[in-house]
Amino acid sequence: MEETFFILKPDAVERGLVGEILQRAERRGFTISRLEVRKADRAILAAHYEDLADKPFFDGLADFMMSRPLVIGTFSGNDVIKSWRQMLGATNPADSAPGTIRGDFAMAPSGTVMPNIAHGSDSPESAQREIALWFGQA
């Protein structure tokens, strides 16, 4: 069994998509292991997006992520990291195929912020790091 971290971003929460997105994951066979509604602060976002924290668009991203509550959690299941990422679709919603979460629900980017509905860890190492960051040592 593998575990991955996810964030349902402010755009998903604001638009009432949380239930539908979680339902898709459950239908795929994932188990929701942890689930929490949380407000993010700049420090946790800087740690989460450590590879982006020095980019010019980071402040806009952080402001967006802090603008409203997030739903964070973990899914567990067979090959869940790869499967969840496939379900999400391409990072840029314009490149996401219909039938993916971003392809079906994400809106066109506004300015430098790309509201793309959700996040999923991209590797077992990232999942472990992100779970520890957001939930404490697992």
Side-chain angles (χ1 to χ4, degrees):
M1 253 335 149
E2 190 174 66
E3 189 173 39
T4 194
F5 176 75
F6 69 87
I7 300 174
L8 302 184
K9 296 180 181 182
D11 48 334
V13 175
E14 180 179 37
R15 293 177 49 214
L17 298 171
V18 171
E20 178 139 3
I21 293 168
L22 293 176
Q23 185 178 51
R24 284 186 181 202
E26 288 182 314
R27 284 185 182 154
R28 183 73 175 248
F30 303 165
T31 299
I32 300 170
S33 312
R34 296 179 182 98
L35 190 65
E36 186 176 313
V37 176
R38 173 151 342 150
K39 287 282 280 184
D41 61 32
R42 193 165 297 275
I44 200 163
L45 292 169
H48 178 83
Y49 292 112
E50 65 186 3
D51 57 328
L52 305 176
D54 61 348
K55 303 287 186 195
F57 60 84
F58 178 74
D59 286 338
L61 172 62
D63 289 345
F64 167 69
M65 294 292 286
M66 294 185 302
S67 67
R68 292 177 292 286
L70 311 169
V71 174
I72 64 170
T74 60
F75 293 130
S76 57
N78 293 326
D79 207 22
V80 73
I81 294 170
K82 179 180 175 186
S83 295
W84 174 239
R85 299 273 299 179
Q86 288 173 338
M87 287 179 67
L88 286 174
T91 301
N92 183 338
D95 298 331
S96 290
T100 65
I101 290 167
R102 291 177 180 143
D104 290 350
F105 301 125
M107 306 292 276
S110 58
T112 59
V113 175
M114 188 183 330
N116 65 359
I117 300 290
H119 163 81
S121 303
D122 62 4
S123 68
E125 297 77 22
S126 291
Q128 188 174 42
R129 182 183 72 78
E130 293 169 356
I131 291 166
L133 177 66
W134 288 87
F135 289 107
Q137 293 302 323

